[in-house]
């Protein structure tokens, strides 16, 4: 049974792979063959959208697509081929530290002359660029913490307790009005964006899809639980300083009080989370399964690699004065027409 009022609509195809997957989801065509997957660019628009479509069936699904497509054997076979293409490229392209401490040390140190997206938005970003950033990131933030929750059954002891504690905060600490995904929806309302879940999928670039698919890839595979913990660590450790800069960007551009609050909240919360993740989640995991150290390092480094590719795309477009989105944003919505995700 589907609930169309809660599920996003299918997007437009970006090539033969994503077109075939969508036709199969609609029941109007066959799945792509192995040769089509093998020849696709691993970080390209077509493969990344096709993989995103497969993964989204494990979240909210799509309007008009039967729920049982989530475990369709043929579709799972195609997803496995897409994942293999993506993961093989990540392993080949990501410079991985030999030691977890070395991987952590690199992201614990804030560069004096940082040049990332949060630096750009803080120092000279314009409101239209802030709106684009929020629209792109909405594909993750409207399901914030969900991909990481999949690792909980695969941990035990100190690692599980630490992970659950951080996730509890991400999900509002028992208060529905404090769920971080809802706080991001309020940020989007301040910016005049549509807060409907998945609304900006058509507009988001392949580099953004890559960052979201990375979380789903790690979260859905027990064999990649170490990489998921590494990814989680990278997100939490880099979040507090990045959120401080983004909060300043929201204030400078007049984004609105809810936009400021979302990042102010992450400055405080993620500074605490960083310590829990390093000492309890990573420390607890490696105390029980020291052989996963290399996987944890890979998760940290692959996260940095994917985020660097996204940052390069955004900054290249913005510095050239053009939109980073596949379809530019319309004018801001009045608050009364916004939707709650």
């Amino acid at each position: 049974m589907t609930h169309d009022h809660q599920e996003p609509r299918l997007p437009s195809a970006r090539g033969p792979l994503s077109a075939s997957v969508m036709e199969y989801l609609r029941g109007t065509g066959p799945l792509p063959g192995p040769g089509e997957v093998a020849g696709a660019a691993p970080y390209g628009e077509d493969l990344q959208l096709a993989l995103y479509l497969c993964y989204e069936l494990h979240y909210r699904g799509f309007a008009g697509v039967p729920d049982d497509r989530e475990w369709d054997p043929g579709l799972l076979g195609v997803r496995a081929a897409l994942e293999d293409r993506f993961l093989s490229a990540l392993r080949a392209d990501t410079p991985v530290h030999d030691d977890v401490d070395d991987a952590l040390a690199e992201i614990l140190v804030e560069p004096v002359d940082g040049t990332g997206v949060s630096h750009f938005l803080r120092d000279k970003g314009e409101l239209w660029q802030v709106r684009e950033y929020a629209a792109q990131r909405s594909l993750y933030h409207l399901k914030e913490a969900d991909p990481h929750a999949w690792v909980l059954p695969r941990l035990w002891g100190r690692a599980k307790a630490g992970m659950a504690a951080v996730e509890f905060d991400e999900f509002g600490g028992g208060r529905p009005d404090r769920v971080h995904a809802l706080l991001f929806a309020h940020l989007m309302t301040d910016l005049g964006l549509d807060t409907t879940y998945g609304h900006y999928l058509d507009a988001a670039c392949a580099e953004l899809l890559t960052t979201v698919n990375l979380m789903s890839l790690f979260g859905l595979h027990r064999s990649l639980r170490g990489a998921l913990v590494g990814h989680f660590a990278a997100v939490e450790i880099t979040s507090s300083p990045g959120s401080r800069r983004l909060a300043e960007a929201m204030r400078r551009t007049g984004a609105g009080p809810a936009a400021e609050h979302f990042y102010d909240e992450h400055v405080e919360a993620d500074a605490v989370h960083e310590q829990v993740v390093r000492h309890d989640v990573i420390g607890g995991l490696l105390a029980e399964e020291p052989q996963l150290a290399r996987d944890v390092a890979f998760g940290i480094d692959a996260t940095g690699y994917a985020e660097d590719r996204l940052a390069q795309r955004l900054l290249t477009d913005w510095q050239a004065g053009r939109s980073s989105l596949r379809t530019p944003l319309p004018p801001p919505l009045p608050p009364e027409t916004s939707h709650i995700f």
Side-chain angles (χ1 to χ4, degrees):
M1 179 177 181
T2 59
H3 307 276
D4 288 358
H5 65 288
Q6 295 180 354
E7 297 164 348
R9 59 182 177 79
L10 286 167
S12 299
R14 303 189 190 182
L17 282 178
S18 52
S20 294
V21 170
M22 272 189 277
E23 288 174 9
Y24 188 77
L25 292 177
R26 294 189 182 105
T28 58
L31 286 165
E36 293 177 83
V37 176
Y43 308 120
E45 300 277 359
D46 193 24
L47 185 143
Q48 288 299 318
L49 179 58
L51 190 54
Y52 185 96
L53 294 171
C54 293
Y55 285 149
E56 193 59 33
L57 299 177
H58 299 289
Y59 294 100
R60 294 199 190 181
F62 292 100
V65 176
D67 287 348
D68 59 10
R69 283 290 195 223
E70 179 182 8
W71 299 111
D72 180 274
L75 191 59
L76 289 176
V78 169
R79 195 192 90 186
L82 294 167
E83 288 176 327
D84 182 66
R85 186 90 173 106
F86 181 34
L87 184 58
S88 295
L90 284 171
R91 292 198 185 280
D93 298 338
T94 302
V96 179
H97 290 86
D98 292 326
D99 184 85
V100 172
D101 288 339
D102 290 341
L104 288 171
E106 188 160 316
I107 60 175
L108 281 166
V109 177
E110 275 281 288
V112 176
D113 54 349
T115 57
V117 170
S118 61
H119 296 86
F120 175 88
L121 291 176
R122 179 196 63 187
D123 297 338
K124 53 187 176 183
E126 299 178 22
L127 187 59
W128 69 270
Q129 293 161 332
V130 168
R131 294 182 73 235
E132 284 198 357
Y133 184 73
Q136 298 258 25
R137 288 293 194 188
S138 69
L139 295 187
Y140 165 61
H141 278 303
L142 292 184
K143 57 170 168 263
E144 185 171 347
D146 290 350
H148 298 128
W150 278 319
V151 84
L152 282 167
R154 295 155 184 168
L155 303 175
W156 61 90
R158 185 156 54 106
K160 174 173 277 191
M163 190 79 187
V166 176
E167 287 284 271
F168 184 64
D169 284 351
E170 299 286 350
F171 292 129
R175 293 176 52 188
D177 60 312
R178 301 295 301 164
V179 174
H180 284 190
L182 182 61
L183 297 182
F184 193 81
H186 294 326
L187 170 151
M188 295 178 72
T189 298
D190 266 4
L191 292 170
L193 296 170
D194 192 314
T195 63
T196 304
Y197 181 90
H199 180 80
Y200 294 104
L201 176 54
D202 267 328
C205 62
E207 290 82 0
L208 186 282
L209 296 184
T210 299
T211 66
V212 180
N213 285 339
L214 187 70
M215 288 180 274
S216 300
L217 171 68
F218 291 165
L220 283 167
H221 291 272
R222 183 178 179 277
S223 62
L224 294 171
R225 62 194 180 280
L228 190 283
V229 166
H231 179 281
F232 190 62
V235 169
E236 295 298 326
I237 289 170
T238 58
S239 175
S240 184
S243 293
R244 182 176 291 106
R245 290 188 290 270
L246 289 168
E248 293 175 19
M250 299 300 141
R251 279 186 271 275
R252 188 178 62 77
T253 59
E260 295 173 20
H261 176 69
F262 177 81
Y263 288 110
D264 284 335
E265 169 77 11
H266 281 70
V267 172
E268 297 181 14
D270 291 341
V272 176
H273 293 173
E274 173 199 325
Q275 299 298 317
V276 176
V277 172
R278 287 171 58 202
H279 299 296
D280 293 330
V281 182
I282 293 180
L285 175 68
L286 296 184
E288 297 283 353
E289 300 185 274
Q291 76 278 8
L292 294 182
R294 178 76 173 175
D295 288 346
V296 174
F298 171 65
I300 295 169
D301 293 330
T303 302
Y305 177 73
E307 289 292 336
D308 286 347
R309 292 184 75 257
L310 174 61
Q312 183 178 9
R313 167 66 184 268
L314 298 180
L315 293 175
T316 297
D317 285 339
W318 290 343
Q319 289 166 351
R322 61 176 177 260
S323 174
S324 67
L325 295 165
R326 299 178 71 247
T327 52
L329 293 173
L333 292 167
E336 62 271 15
T337 65
S338 296
H339 302 85
I340 293 299
F341 77 112

